[in-house]
Amino acid sequence: MHAIDQAGTFTLGGRTVRRLGYGAMQLAGPGVFGPPRDRDAALAVLREAVAAGVNHIDTSDFYGPHVTNQIIREALAPYPDDLVIVTKIGAVRGDDASWNPAYGADQLERAVHDNLRNLGLEALDVVNLRIMFDVHGPAEGSIAAPLQVLAGLQRQGLVRHIGLSNVTATQVAEGRGIAQIVCVQNQYNLAHRDDDALIDALAKDGIAYVPFFPLGGFSPLQSTALSDVAARLDATPMQVALAWLLRRAPNILLIPGTSSVAHLRENLAAATLVLPDDVMADLEGIGMA
């Protein structure tokens, strides 16, 4: 029995995962580019996460690039039977650390093979197609062409399940007409609530929603309000924000990232934080501010 079991489980790609997972982005160097300042610390974070019961790790071969996947392999291979590693394709890094779209069929196929090689896998559990029409957030436009390429790689047995990232509700609907979509990964937190309706619709269909930047976008006033709630509960603002997300909808899976074992433990402790109804009401007020 792990403490994070208190957060419950959900199905991701036909596998049962604990709702508190881990995002590997911060294991790369500054700006998610180059090697980490302390590789041993990065390895320790991953091993601690799995020891604490985490069985959902989010990554991408364009983190670094290649760095985080290579660290994951070094830290955890041979992988635990229950571990689900989710990666993403659709972007490449420039020499200047820029994030650039990579939607060509050859680019997508190369990305899948890069993930397979660096993770040391024969097939990828879940691959999210990251839509890059606007690097700062979802933007409308057809995703059919790159998704059909990814679906072809799935038919080859290189990819088991497909997800979408940085997408609109319209694109999710389009995607579901092309392939079975098992998860959606978008920005969502107390202050960034654009996906409220999408989350509820996905929950009805048993599709996981994986929010990134769980504290991103807060203004100083909103941060102060969140800190006040945290102080009342003898918790940290991050723990409160994560606990709110866990209670927000049963299909929400969390992947908070960190390069620190101490911070990892703090994040995972959010599974044990119970938010009373009056606190939920106060937090809703933050979201509407």
Side-chain angles (χ1 to χ4, degrees):
M1 178 79 176
H2 298 281
I4 65 170
D5 288 335
Q6 296 181 53
T9 61
F10 196 75
T11 300
L12 176 60
R15 307 271 295 280
T16 298
V17 298
R18 295 181 177 94
R19 293 180 63 208
L20 252 173
Y22 174 76
M25 176 185 279
Q26 293 188 38
L27 296 184
V32 201
F33 198 71
R37 293 188 178 94
D38 187 337
R39 189 179 183 90
D40 287 341
L43 295 170
V45 167
L46 285 162
R47 290 167 180 156
E48 176 73 16
V50 170
V54 167
N55 60 357
H56 169 207
I57 292 178
D58 181 85
T59 185
S60 174
D61 210 61
F62 55 69
Y63 294 164
H66 315 305
V67 170
T68 61
N69 282 352
Q70 292 169 356
I71 292 174
I72 289 170
R73 181 178 184 177
E74 181 179 348
L76 302 178
Y79 299 111
D81 291 341
D82 68 338
L83 181 63
V84 176
I85 299 177
V86 179
T87 189
K88 63 186 73 63
I89 62 175
V92 293
R93 304 301 296 278
D95 292 339
D96 59 352
S98 57
W99 304 77
N100 305 307
Y103 290 145
D106 289 346
Q107 292 174 307
L108 294 170
E109 184 172 356
R110 185 181 311 118
V112 165
H113 282 285
D114 284 347
N115 277 280
L116 288 168
R117 181 181 64 257
N118 286 312
L119 287 168
L121 294 169
E122 295 182 356
L124 300 171
D125 291 322
V126 182
V127 175
N128 286 321
L129 178 63
R130 168 77 180 191
I131 302 303
M132 296 282 289
F133 298 154
D134 184 342
V135 70
H136 300 295
E140 294 292 0
S142 176
I143 63 172
L147 185 55
Q148 286 166 348
V149 172
L150 182 52
L153 295 167
Q154 183 184 37
R155 288 191 292 272
Q156 292 178 36
L158 301 177
V159 174
R160 294 191 178 99
H161 300 280
I162 293 174
L164 298 171
S165 179
N166 201 42
V167 287
T168 67
T170 299
Q171 289 164 338
V172 172
E174 180 186 30
R176 294 182 68 186
I178 296 169
Q180 181 181 7
I181 303 301
V182 301
C183 60
V184 173
Q185 186 180 104
N186 280 358
Q187 181 179 358
Y188 182 81
N189 53 55
L190 271 167
H192 192 284
R193 302 279 298 275
D194 293 351
D195 277 357
D196 272 337
L198 177 60
I199 290 170
D200 294 338
L202 294 174
K204 292 178 181 177
D205 291 336
I207 298 173
Y209 183 92
V210 187
F212 56 80
F213 298 151
L215 275 182
F218 283 126
S219 69
L221 175 63
Q222 291 164 327
S223 291
T224 298
L226 180 59
S227 296
D228 288 345
V229 169
R232 285 162 49 195
L233 297 176
D234 193 25
T236 68
M238 174 65 87
Q239 288 171 332
V240 173
L242 294 176
W244 178 84
L245 285 165
L246 288 170
R247 183 165 169 180
R248 166 62 184 81
N251 61 323
I252 287 181
L253 301 178
L254 300 186
I255 51 167
T258 179
S259 58
S260 158
V261 168
H263 190 202
L264 171 73
R265 290 170 178 163
E266 176 186 312
N267 289 342
L268 297 183
T272 65
L273 183 60
V274 177
L275 300 183
D277 290 342
D278 63 324
V279 168
M280 288 297 291
D282 290 343
L283 294 175
E284 287 292 322
I286 293 174
M288 300 304 175

